[in-house]
Amino acid sequence: MQRYKVKGKRRMVFKIQNGKGFIYALVAVFACLVLTCNFSLAATAQAKHYSELQLPPLPEIKLPKYERFVLQNGLVVYLMEDHELPLVNGTAFVRTGNRLEPLEKVGLAGFTGAVMRTGGTKKHSADELNEILEQRAASVEVGIGETSGSASFDALSEDLETVFGLFAEVMRSPVFAQGKLDLAKTQAKGGIARRNDDPDSIASREFKKLIYGKDSPYARTIEYATVDQVSREDLLKFYQQYFHPNNMILGIVGDFNAKKMRSLVQAKFGDWNRNPGIAKPKLPKVSPANTGGVFFVNQPQLTQSSVLIGHLGGRFDNPDYAALDVLNGVLNGFGGRLFNEVRSRQGLAYSVYGQWSPRYDYPGMFIAGGQTRSDATVQFVKALQAEIKRIQTQRVTAKELVFAKESTLNSFVFNFQNPNQTLSRLMRYEYYGYPADFLFRYQKAVAATTAADVQRVAREYLKPERIVTLVVGNQTAIQPPLTQLAAQVTPIDVTIPGLRPQAKN
């Protein structure tokens, strides 16, 4: 035996002194290999196919304890304690949305939400706000989307009072600094310039226009001209129209004492005057802009096509929503009809999907599509159409029904992964006027859905004769041509209005 030093540490290296020791070593290695092989064989013999596994039923989901109250000024507040981590976060939903902005000033709502946060408050400049929050690893954010506005905060429990105070400042006294608006407008123009870089983005944007209409609040797009129309005074007016305590729902979840939190909310928001004249905004009407047709966006640089087909859909509060969601399960995912037939058997798609996609307070869409080779575009569209018709005429099998229902019900638990997600859902239901137990009613309806229900809703809600087809691809490479789908194919020009061509070097 000899000893060696390696990097200052003593390591023992045993040298085999003779042939007899070498034989013993070989025997030992062989024995280890035999034991390992036997263990692997035993493990293989015990392994079962996933379909043979017996899994326990999903546990019943119960809502965590929460408190709901309303301040005298009309602010609705939800509190839900969660002491697992020393964190607190909150979100306020504001009854507004970019669907309420004027057509000539598309982008106004988004700018209002962004500059509320970036522009600072009457007490703190934007830089001061950022510094205070960064020192505490906290955040305050504001944004306005299609159908709602939201403001949120995240903080450590020990910093709650400070961060919540800043959150209240941003909500109640933003100054909308002109420089920050100018920056936001510059960034928006950069996004406009890049909006045709991705074919899927083109398809999604233009398909909404075909379904809702190019001037619909659910389809219109921000342009250079609409950005230039927005002023700081417009932001102030938009803010003053919608940001009032009796037009909001505030939810807070985390590591706090509910009694103390209630006092803090009262201290920061209780003296904010309500607006007695505010009313729920009149929502824009929705009707189908097209009830059929084939449309095409030529992108010569592409080697594949992005395809979308569909028509106007419905809302979550439709009594048949659960059955329509099971129908989605029959069509989609591994084991779904579209995957099995269009992708696996026919080999026509890189990705393929089809779903009834509702919205809370306006009609969504039924939409199907995917990506395919340029030379397979027509065949891909026909395959999608065939599967839509087949689910109307060919009743789903017992196996398909079980697969769709189980996948839908198993995914149900992900709606309640944490208290924050649960509270957000409760607030959203109140915001849109849905019952608090809506999701549980849906769960029971899914469990009760039959094969006959799936076929019935497929026949009632899917309209093959009204399907709008949009293809974004390379016109010369699409062979056979799209005229095999319809005698008339309508081209769509996606040239960006007002975009100046870059000078060549």
Side-chain angles (χ1 to χ4, degrees):
M1 181 176 70
Q2 295 180 342
R3 295 179 180 177
Y4 298 90
K5 282 188 176 181
V6 182
K7 295 182 180 181
K9 294 182 179 181
R10 296 173 65 88
R11 295 188 177 181
M12 304 297 292
V13 179
F14 295 92
K15 297 181 67 178
I16 299 174
Q17 301 293 334
N18 50 50
K20 187 175 181 180
F22 180 71
I23 293 173
Y24 288 154
L26 284 178
V27 171
V29 170
F30 179 75
C32 289
L33 287 173
V34 170
L35 288 173
T36 302
C37 183
N38 287 339
F39 178 80
S40 299
L41 290 173
T44 302
Q46 295 175 358
K48 294 182 179 181
H49 190 266
Y50 76 93
S51 61
E52 299 175 331
L53 297 176
Q54 298 295 320
L55 300 177
L58 292 173
E60 182 182 356
I61 297 175
K62 295 182 179 180
L63 293 179
K65 182 181 178 181
Y66 67 92
E67 180 181 352
R68 180 191 179 279
F69 59 93
V70 183
L71 299 186
Q72 288 187 349
N73 59 13
L75 178 65
V76 176
V77 183
Y78 284 82
L79 300 180
M80 183 179 288
E81 293 186 38
D82 176 23
H83 301 286
E84 185 175 355
L85 295 171
L87 302 172
V88 181
N89 57 70
T91 300
F93 287 164
V94 185
R95 297 188 188 281
T96 183
N98 61 36
R99 61 182 173 182
L100 303 177
E101 63 193 5
L103 176 61
E104 69 275 10
K105 296 184 179 183
V106 174
L108 167 60
F111 291 139
T112 302
V115 184
M116 270 187 71
R117 169 60 183 88
T118 62
T121 71
K122 292 179 180 179
K123 291 183 179 180
H124 296 91
S125 69
D127 290 341
E128 289 171 340
L129 273 176
N130 293 336
E131 184 177 357
I132 296 171
L133 292 170
E134 287 173 4
Q135 288 174 347
R136 292 162 175 77
S139 69
V140 173
E141 303 295 339
V142 184
I144 299 179
E146 183 178 74
T147 63
S148 67
S150 67
S152 63
F153 73 89
D154 287 279
L156 292 169
S157 306
E158 62 189 48
D159 299 320
L160 173 59
E161 190 165 344
T162 298
V163 176
F164 190 70
L166 295 177
F167 169 75
E169 277 186 39
V170 171
M171 292 286 286
R172 297 184 59 176
S173 59
V175 297
F176 296 104
Q178 181 66 52
K180 297 300 182 181
L181 172 58
D182 294 339
L183 176 60
K185 291 170 74 170
T186 299
Q187 293 170 336
K189 289 181 177 180
I192 294 171
R194 297 187 299 272
R195 74 183 184 194
N196 287 338
D197 292 352
D198 178 41
D200 289 341
S201 296
I202 296 173
S204 176
R205 182 184 73 236
E206 297 302 321
F207 191 74
K208 288 180 181 178
K209 293 180 183 180
L210 294 173
I211 298 301
Y212 295 107
K214 64 182 180 62
D215 292 334
S216 167
Y218 304 112
R220 61 195 181 190
T221 54
I222 188 172
E223 303 288 356
Y224 292 116
T226 67
V227 171
D228 289 338
Q229 289 292 320
V230 176
S231 67
R232 178 178 177 274
E233 289 69 29
D234 293 321
L235 269 62
L236 283 167
K237 183 178 178 181
F238 194 89
Y239 166 80
Q240 291 165 357
Q241 185 173 359
Y242 298 107
F243 281 75
H244 302 280
N246 54 321
N247 201 38
M248 299 180 186
I249 302 173
L250 171 64
I252 305 171
V253 60
D255 183 31
F256 58 80
N257 175 276
K259 185 177 180 180
K260 292 181 179 180
M261 190 71 240
R262 185 166 183 158
S263 298
L264 185 59
V265 172
Q266 177 66 42
K268 299 299 181 181
F269 286 98
D271 62 345
W272 191 4
N273 294 330
R274 64 185 294 133
N275 181 355
I278 202 165
K280 284 188 177 181
K282 186 177 180 180
L283 300 182
K285 294 182 179 180
V286 175
S287 59
N290 293 278
T291 54
V294 176
F295 300 83
F296 179 66
V297 178
N298 188 29
Q299 297 286 280
Q301 77 279 10
L302 299 180
T303 58
Q304 67 182 48
S305 296
S306 293
V307 177
L308 291 176
I309 72 172
H311 53 68
L312 195 65
R315 301 178 9 159
F316 283 109
D317 56 2
N318 186 316
D320 287 323
Y321 165 55
L324 286 161
D325 214 22
V326 175
L327 179 146
N328 287 345
V330 173
L331 288 174
N332 288 292
F334 293 100
R337 286 189 178 184
L338 290 174
F339 186 92
N340 289 345
E341 178 63 23
V342 181
R343 189 179 190 276
S344 298
R345 196 185 75 78
Q346 297 187 41
L348 294 175
Y350 303 117
S351 65
V352 61
Y353 58 90
Q355 60 183 358
W356 183 264
S357 183
R359 295 292 182 266
Y360 282 102
D361 61 358
Y362 73 94
M365 295 183 288
F366 170 70
I367 186 168
Q371 292 76 42
T372 187
R373 307 185 316 273
S374 295
D375 62 353
T377 303
V378 170
Q379 191 178 353
F380 177 68
V381 173
K382 289 182 177 180
L384 288 175
Q385 294 172 341
E387 288 306 306
I388 292 169
K389 292 177 181 177
R390 184 164 76 94
I391 203 166
Q392 292 182 312
T393 57
Q394 181 180 319
R395 178 173 291 196
V396 299
T397 65
K399 183 178 180 180
E400 285 179 315
L401 182 66
V402 169
F403 170 81
K405 290 173 65 173
E406 285 189 349
S407 60
T408 302
L409 291 171
N410 289 344
S411 65
F412 184 80
V413 297
F414 295 107
N415 295 302
F416 303 92
Q417 293 183 87
N418 55 65
N420 187 39
Q421 189 178 30
T422 302
L423 185 61
S424 177
R425 186 170 292 278
L426 289 170
M427 293 167 60
R428 193 177 302 118
Y429 288 154
E430 177 163 351
Y431 182 92
Y432 290 107
Y434 283 63
D437 64 344
F438 172 77
L439 204 58
F440 295 98
R441 297 184 189 183
Y442 156 81
Q443 183 187 34
K444 292 179 181 178
V446 168
T449 298
T450 66
D453 291 329
V454 175
Q455 189 173 46
R456 175 182 60 80
V457 297
R459 288 175 174 174
E460 183 175 348
Y461 295 98
L462 304 188
K463 308 293 182 182
E465 72 281 1
R466 297 184 185 177
I467 278 182
V468 174
T469 300
L470 173 64
V471 177
V472 179
N474 184 339
Q475 186 174 13
T476 58
I478 296 177
Q479 297 296 334
L482 296 178
T483 50
Q484 287 205 358
L485 298 173
Q488 179 180 352
V489 177
T490 304
I492 296 177
D493 183 4
V494 294
T495 302
I496 301 170
L499 179 63
R500 297 178 180 178
Q502 294 181 350
K504 296 182 180 179
N505 295 328

